[in-house]
Amino acid sequence: MPETLSPREVFQKLIEGISAGRFTELAELYAEDAVVETVFEPVGPRRFEGRAALKERFAQVSASSPVELTPANVVVRETDDAEVVVAEFDYQVHHRVTGRTFEAANIQVLRVRDGVIVSSRDYHDHLALIVAGGNLPQLVAALDGK
C-alpha cells in the first residue's frame, strides 16, 4: 500500500505539475468533493466544487493559457492543524503572446486529508496576469457590465 502524502508533499506535487504544464493531471490531487476558492478572481467563478469541475477547469487552462509559470521563493508553513498548510510563493511568469516577463505573488491555504486536497483558498495576483496579457480594457468593460 503506497504511503499517503503529507499536505506539504501534496502542495509540492501541485506546484510541480503547474510549472510543468501538466494541468490534465492536477485534478487527481483533489478529493471528489473538493472545494477551491479563487478569492481574488476579478471576473468569473470564484468557487469550484468537486473533482469533475476542477478537471474541466484545468482542461480549459491547459488549452488556453498563454503563460509559463515558474515557482520561486516558495515557503510552506505548517499550522497547528495537521491537515492545513499555507504556501507563499511567487511565479516567474512569461506571457507567450505579449512576451512580457514578470513576477506574480501567490498564497494558497490547503486542507489535505488522506493525501488529497479537500479545500483550497487561493490568493493569486490575477490582476498582474490580466495586465501582462493586455486585457485590462476587457476587465474594465466586464466590471462595468455588472
Side-chain angles (χ1 to χ4, degrees), residues 1-145:
M1 184 170 178
E3 185 177 329
T4 301
L5 297 176
S6 71
R8 179 183 293 271
E9 292 167 328
V10 171
F11 170 76
Q12 190 62 42
K13 286 184 72 91
L14 177 65
I15 201 166
E16 287 170 2
I18 291 169
S19 65
R22 297 190 315 263
F23 293 100
T24 57
E25 300 171 16
L26 296 179
E28 296 307 313
L29 295 174
Y30 292 83
E32 287 290 336
D33 59 350
V35 174
V36 174
E37 297 174 278
T38 54
V39 179
F40 292 150
E41 177 66 50
V43 178
R46 290 185 178 164
R47 184 178 174 95
F48 299 89
E49 295 185 32
R51 183 186 290 159
L54 291 166
K55 188 172 187 170
E56 183 178 313
R57 175 69 179 137
F58 289 135
Q60 291 170 348
V61 170
S62 178
S64 65
S65 178
V67 297
E68 297 169 8
L69 304 171
T70 304
N73 309 317
V74 178
V75 176
V76 180
R77 291 186 168 78
E78 294 174 352
T79 69
D80 59 357
D81 183 332
E83 293 184 338
V84 176
V85 292
V86 177
E88 297 179 69
F89 56 101
D90 298 312
Y91 276 129
Q92 302 298 320
V93 183
H94 173 71
H95 198 286
R96 290 186 295 268
V97 175
T98 65
R100 292 182 176 139
T101 300
F102 60 98
E103 190 170 272
N106 305 270
I107 295 175
Q108 284 186 283
V109 181
L110 300 178
R111 178 172 295 280
V112 176
R113 187 175 298 135
D114 298 325
V116 292
I117 301 165
V118 295
S119 67
S120 181
R121 288 184 54 85
D122 301 353
Y123 301 85
H124 303 299
D125 189 351
H126 294 281
L127 187 56
L129 297 169
I130 290 166
V131 169
N135 297 318
L136 192 54
Q138 293 91 325
L139 174 61
V140 171
L143 293 174
D144 283 345

